[in-house]
Amino acid sequence: MTPAAPAYRRLSVEERRTQLLEAALSLFAHRAPEDVSLDDVAEAAGVSRPLVYRYFPGGKQQLYEAALRSAADELQQCFDEPREGPLLVRLSRALDRYLAFVDQHDAGFSALLQGGSVVETSRTTAIVDGVRRAAAEHILSHLGVTEPGLRLRMTVRMWITAVEAASLIWLDEGKQPPLDELRDWLVEQFVAVLTVTAARDPQTATLAQTLTSHI
């Protein structure tokens, strides 16, 4: 007897939208966005071009921005850590989630951070920068600082940029070193940059002293 074909299940609106976004993120990560057509996205998702337009009537620009926002929303949640326990332990847990996202969604992560595209606009730039600002706000909140000075703000933002760069290089290097080693290295770098800034900024010096006393 010939086995019965699996029953076809119509995707919900949200499921179909997610499918299209995942296909787009994968393509945008491996090719310049301007080199990706809606036909490419439709083929990758196994659907028709008109269906892609039905969900994204604004065409590729709308799809690109939606894909960026989808990845950005997930990344922002990585730093939403309960204010419990030592700061560096909390930072380690946040980095575990961040790096797990990079590991599991490397295509989406690469697509989120790549720039210089002809489809890049002030809106796409704002989406990417929103992730960095949200991460900085979470970290400053964990530090217990309500009014961070210029040097402290710059230090935190610089470290976040270093985390991004390290993550992209980690992908290029075949995901080496191991994630736990990379996480610990980034935490150590956080302490190091605070220590350097502490020599020039009393506010940061107080924070650095508190952190190092718990190591």
Side-chain angles (χ1 to χ4, degrees), residues 19-95:
Q19 177 196 31
L20 295 175
L21 289 176
E22 289 176 350
L25 279 171
S26 181
L27 291 170
F28 289 142
H30 296 95
R31 291 153 57 184
E34 55 267 32
D35 294 335
V36 177
S37 68
L38 289 184
D39 286 331
D40 294 329
V41 175
E43 181 180 358
V47 301
S48 66
R49 178 188 174 96
L51 183 63
V52 179
Y53 263 113
R54 184 187 306 171
Y55 282 82
F56 300 97
K60 187 170 71 174
Q61 183 66 40
Q62 182 185 7
L63 178 59
Y64 181 62
E65 291 179 10
L68 285 179
R69 193 171 297 282
S70 174
D73 288 345
E74 288 193 56
L75 280 172
Q76 287 185 19
Q77 294 174 15
C78 292
F79 287 92
D80 190 10
E81 172 70 24
R83 273 60 171 172
E84 299 173 358
L87 173 64
L88 296 185
V89 174
R90 284 180 263 160
L91 185 59
S92 294
R93 289 197 296 259
L95 279 174

Side-chain angles (χ1 to χ4, degrees), residues 67-144:
L68 285 179
R69 193 171 297 282
S70 174
D73 288 345
E74 288 193 56
L75 280 172
Q76 287 185 19
Q77 294 174 15
C78 292
F79 287 92
D80 190 10
E81 172 70 24
R83 273 60 171 172
E84 299 173 358
L87 173 64
L88 296 185
V89 174
R90 284 180 263 160
L91 185 59
S92 294
R93 289 197 296 259
L95 279 174
D96 278 337
R97 288 193 294 274
Y98 184 93
L99 295 173
F101 178 94
V102 176
D103 186 25
Q104 297 166 15
H105 305 85
D106 50 357
F109 182 79
S110 298
L112 173 67
L113 294 184
Q114 70 181 359
S117 166
V118 296
V119 296
E120 185 177 8
T121 66
S122 60
R123 291 190 300 275
T124 61
T125 300
I127 292 170
V128 174
D129 193 53
V131 176
R132 299 169 182 144
R133 291 186 180 278
E137 289 172 3
H138 279 300
I139 291 171
L140 289 169
S141 177
H142 283 294
L143 288 169

